[in-house]
Amino acid sequence: MKPAPFEYYVPRSLDEALALLAEHGYDAKPLAGGQSLVPAMNFRLAQPAVLVDLNNLADLAGIMADGEGGLRIGAMTRQRAVERSPLVAQRAPLLAETLPYIAHPQIRNRGTVGGSLAHNDPAAELPAVALALDARMRVRKQDGERVVAASDFFLGIFTTALEPDELLTEIVFPPLPPRSGVAFEEMARRHGDYALVGCAARVTLAENGKVSDSRLVFFSVGDGPVQAVAAAKTLRGQRPGPAAMRASAEAASQEIDPPSDIHASADFRRHLAQVLARRALTRAVDRASALR
Amino acid sequence: MATRLFGARVKRNEDPVLLTGRAQFVDDVHLAGMLHVAFKRSDYAHARLVSIDISEARAMPGVVAVYTAADLGDYWQPSPLLVPPPPVEGAVFNQRTAGQLARDKVRYVGEPMVMVVAESRYLAEDAVEKVMVDYDPLPAVVDLEAGVADTSSLVHDDLGHNIAAHVVQRKGDYEAARARADVVISRRMHYDRGTAAPMETRGVVAQWDALARSLTVWDSTQAPIPIRNGLAAMLGLAERQVRVIAPFIGGGFGPKIMMFYPEETLIPWAAMRLGRPVKWIEDRQENFVAMTHERGQVHDCEMALTRDGQILGVRDIFFHDTGAYDPYGLTVPLNTQCTLLGPYVVPHYTTEFKAVFTNKTVVTPYRGAGRQHGVFVMERLLDLAARELGLDPLELRRRNFIPPDQFPYNNKIIFQDFTELTYDSGDYEPVLDKARAMIGWEAWQAGEGARLRAEGKTVGIGLVMYVEGTGIGPYEGARVQVEPTGKVNVATGIGTQGQGHFTSFAQIVGEQLGVPMTNIYVSTGDTAQFSWGAGTFASRGAVVAGTAIHHAAVKVRDKARRLAGEALEVAEEDVELVDGFAQVRGAPTRRVALAELARQANPLRGAVRADAEPGLEATAYYGPEMGATAFGAHALILEVDPETFNLRVHKYVVVHDCGRVINPLILDGQVQGGVAQGIGNAFYEQLVYDETGQLQNASFMDYLLPTALDVPRIDIGHEETLSPLNPNGVKGAGEAGAIPVGPLFCQALEDAFQGGGLEILEIPLSPYRLWELVTSA
Ligand SMILES: Cc1cc2nc3c(=O)[nH]c(=O)nc-3n(C[C@H](O)[C@H](O)[C@H](O)COP(=O)(O)OP(=O)(O)OC[C@H]3O[C@@H](n4cnc5c(N)ncnc54)[C@H](O)[C@@H]3O)c2cc1C
């Protein structure tokens, strides 16, 4: 469990980092918290010839307010910093609620928000949350910048819209519409494990108390965050009582196509998806109702 | 009178170095010019080796040597059989042990084929990737029953079948008892594989000193003395030329006694051949496949009872998965046969097993060592019988206890130490009553359980009993010496892997010599310190080595009192040892320091008595005639999320009786740690193989050890029924925590899903499996 040989660079500036990526292309990998990349290298599942260490790029870390109610988080911000940020608790409560479920404090002390999103592990929490909150990814390369919507960013298992010479630099979370409630649920075998199934819910109520918009995003059930579009639609225009939420959760569990592995069959995952979706929707509605 | 040490809750002497990261483990041995080893291991569970090409690997930078089986010459040899089969009439045992590196054929994923020696482990692993192996894959034997079918692929072709052993033991006449029975409960039960997962993996460092012509080996082993003896014989050296040091060991649990692992004999050989120190530290990935496993068994069992719940007899026929080889003989399935009987009178018992060779990692004892399975079968059958008879499960147990006046109690079957299994002492009701009180059984039945259920909680309670055979022979020894500095040295040959020997052994000595703990230095696991003994296993350290230490300390005490009597001109009976002094009873100011006595006992000039032995020093040995049998009860209240099937333990109680307690703090730690492993075994840990014999979860990401967040705090109670076999009345405690957890979880879960018709006849469980069982019940 020792990595294959590699070259190691510690750029002092974002430009230097981008230049290194431009030079080495597919041979290079950016190193953020290393909590996913280094184990993969030790198993020799990943054998990058060049590592570009982002840990000296202080500009890439930080949590800032963005306009009225929005939030910007630098890609190199440690997960633990996000977890403890009052600003995040206030402006992106879903993010705050989710973070303690990611691994253990030791790992969150190193692991970064950008690293998790760029890695797009199908069992990871943050991609699902980013999708549920309509986050926007700010992406840089040597001669340009682009902004990618979460819905266009996560392309498949361990795959995103990032090109090899690009870095994710910042994630922007827009404010939630008024009368919106969010909730997060997951089922993991042990504290801190990747979930067997997890789910983020977001519900917006109209003035009349009916559902005007809702969103259910699962993880660990596919090749990245999986949005249950049809199931969320069944709630729209409904009064969000237990029966309606149960029906929506049930529909969601039929809409997804989860995998089987040694920890859970597809059927058990589907069962869990229905349970967790119902619980998450219920709490999200409670919270939204409280804001009315 | 000095404060008593034996029995005191003394903090552990070894903890300051351990907790501050200053304890020396094998990987902390760094020697000038040291080389590093990595192995190319089999990717297939079962395959013929067509060819192995090491030319590219040998040419890699930093590579010093690459060895295959062919390169070992005469040194290649199958490992010895550690435990010969027992003298059971008609027992069949087919010995097949592994050579150091596979040749011709590989029999499990992870079997070593090629050893690469390089300037660093990194370079060694780079070279391993360049070893080219041409395999001719064969069907793998994975399932036990398929393995004994005529059509099965053969793990050892020359054997003609896959049966490693077949043993039948009978007590009384089960068939006749069954014919008289009012009820017969019969079921099939499954127990699957797990791994001990010690925090420190295995590791060996060897250094050959060409000038002194001596070999030093640091080995993460539980049995340094047998390793020394075996290595000397294999390498053509005298035993005094070989020193084996088992320094601090980060957990052993049984698999670290599987001498000889291939790596254990290869690393010293390479160090001698290359003339440079050589290190191999097993990584976690290797550990999952190359360190021995345990636990795979399938039981067809039945129990015959009268209507009022008296056990008439038990019949148990089981398959035992021994893996690809069987170097540890029959210890594990024999323990299963013997431990099944538990604290109960079972007048008629038929037990039969077939050990089956499979294309999986070798099986040797792991904490509990087969005892789990026996307890599982017995306790589950009792629960099912209680349900069938409409009896309280605890009342059913109580009715069948061996009465306290029946000890020593001979079970009339052969145990792992080859003697008839005889319980030295026991008194089971007090343990049951205490556990019942501590868990709150009465209150639960009187309404607490119903109240929680009315709140919508899925909660259940359970209580199970067990016995644990401990403290078996053959023997251990120890030397105790008071230095002229006043410090006391204690040396014994067994290894230590976290059991607190540095403290409990010091307590035994301090008790006799009246010396404070801080002045007592215990050395374990260094063959240069003590040369005789077997090792730490089978919960025997405190019983066997502890008693040898006690005897040596008594000898030193007696000599000190005799010498002090002469010096102080009083009868030796009037001398007592207190706080480092020998003093006159009733006149404590008339005293002489033990240090002074030690000095006087080693004069530099003048005459001594012709038969005088120098120093305040003695050596003693102890070999018990048979094992001492500890026992206890575990009780549990748990809650299940009925939708996700995750568990939360509300309360966990252990009441344990291992005779006289040396140090309750250490004992509690042993129990707590054992329960943690038991909980892992019950609900988290399972080695999953696919049909080709590939291990599906060889990492801590997918092999789920419960962490501190998942293991509850355990309430521990003690009873003390002394063992008549040794002067301190002690019994072993190493495995008790791990043994009965499986059936306890099953019982409490069935209780939680009351009325659901749920029967749980297997371990390990998981939320997924529980969901399947509950939805199909
Ligand atoms: C024991 C353990 C348990 C864990 N449990 C969980 C869990 O429950 N849930 C969970 O979500 N995660 C879990 N993780 C993973 C953890 O959250 C990681 O920190 C995270 O997935 C990756 O973040 P990182 O900063 O460590 O990235 P790294 O490991 O450094 O990088 C990951 C990948 O992203 C790329 N990358 C990193 N930053 C950028 C960037 N700014 N731009 C472009 N590419 C980039 C890297 O090149 C690499 O390919 C666990 C990890 C461990 C070790």
Side-chain angles (χ1 to χ4, degrees), chain A residues 1 44 189-190 271 279, chain B residues 125-126 283 643 683 705:
Chain A
M1 293 179 79
R44 298 196 176 209
R189 290 291 314 272
R190 299 171 302 184
H271 163 79
R279 291 180 182 179
Chain B
E125 288 192 22
D126 292 347
D283 69 25
E643 291 185 316
F683 202 71
L705 286 179

Side-chain angles (χ1 to χ4, degrees), chain A residues 29-37 54 75 79 101-103 107 111-112 115-116 118-119 124-125 162 167-168 192-194:
Chain A
K29 278 259 173 218
L31 174 69
Q35 299 302 296
S36 295
L37 182 54
L54 307 181
Q79 293 159 0
Y101 288 92
I102 301 175
I107 290 156
T112 64
S116 180
H119 194 50
E125 287 84 354
L162 288 169
L167 278 179
L168 175 61
D193 274 345
Y194 282 105

Side-chain angles (χ1 to χ4, degrees), chain B residues 496-637:
Chain B
T496 195
Q497 309 98 42
Q499 293 90 344
H501 292 150
F502 300 101
T503 310
S504 50
F505 291 167
Q507 286 177 267
I508 292 173
V509 172
E511 178 80 8
Q512 295 307 324
L513 298 186
V515 175
M517 291 284 290
T518 45
N519 273 351
I520 303 173
Y521 296 87
V522 176
S523 158
T524 71
D526 180 350
T527 61
Q529 296 292 323
F530 201 81
S531 194
W532 298 96
T536 302
F537 53 90
S539 302
R540 67 194 288 279
V543 184
V544 187
T547 301
I549 288 167
H550 169 83
H551 286 315
V554 166
K555 282 192 192 175
V556 172
R557 179 198 68 191
D558 291 348
K559 184 169 184 182
R561 289 171 71 189
R562 200 181 70 236
L563 295 176
E566 288 166 11
L568 300 169
E569 298 181 328
V570 293
E572 64 184 84
E573 297 75 49
D574 292 331
V575 176
E576 58 182 11
L577 306 184
V578 178
D579 282 342
F581 288 88
Q583 63 193 34
V584 178
R585 206 183 300 277
T589 52
R590 290 183 60 202
R591 64 180 197 176
V592 52
L594 276 185
E596 179 57 26
L597 288 175
R599 201 158 29 244
Q600 288 173 11
N602 184 24
L604 291 177
R605 295 288 185 277
V608 298
R609 271 207 308 260
D611 63 347
E613 288 180 9
L616 274 186
E617 177 178 308
T619 298
Y621 298 90
Y622 172 68
E625 59 187 277
M626 62 183 195
T629 304
F631 52 93
H634 287 208
L636 166 73
I637 294 175

Side-chain angles (χ1 to χ4, degrees), chain B residues 1-29:
Chain B
M1 191 61 209
T3 47
R4 304 234 21 205
L5 286 177
F6 198 109
R9 190 172 273 273
V10 184
K11 282 196 183 163
R12 305 199 323 164
N13 276 347
E14 51 268 63
D15 281 344
V17 287
L18 283 167
L19 295 176
T20 54
R22 287 175 294 135
Q24 191 191 40
F25 294 86
V26 172
D27 199 20
D28 296 317
V29 177

Side-chain angles (χ1 to χ4, degrees), chain A residues 172-226:
Chain A
V172 181
F173 294 92
L176 286 174
R179 294 177 306 280
S180 294
V182 290
F184 176 87
E185 290 279 345
E186 76 171 43
M187 152 66 175
R189 290 291 314 272
R190 299 171 302 184
H191 291 85
D193 274 345
Y194 282 105
L196 296 183
V197 176
C199 153
R202 164 180 155 183
V203 178
T204 303
L205 298 180
E207 299 270 11
N208 64 7
K210 290 190 176 163
V211 176
S212 64
D213 190 16
S214 80
R215 174 100 33 117
L216 267 177
V217 183
F218 293 94
F219 56 98
S220 267
V221 300
D223 55 9
V226 174

Side-chain angles (χ1 to χ4, degrees), chain B residues 706-728:
Chain B
T707 71
L709 297 169
D710 310 295
V711 177
R713 186 168 288 277
I714 289 147
D715 297 335
I716 302 172
H718 300 287
E719 291 289 320
E720 294 198 350
T721 305
L722 302 196
S723 172
L725 299 174
N726 59 70
N728 288 321

Side-chain angles (χ1 to χ4, degrees), chain B residues 242-264:
Chain B
V242 183
R243 177 181 180 191
V244 174
I245 303 169
F248 274 102
I249 306 287
F253 309 115
K256 285 190 183 167
I257 204 171
M258 210 294 289
M259 70 261 186
F260 289 85
Y261 278 106
E263 301 90 349
E264 259 168 338

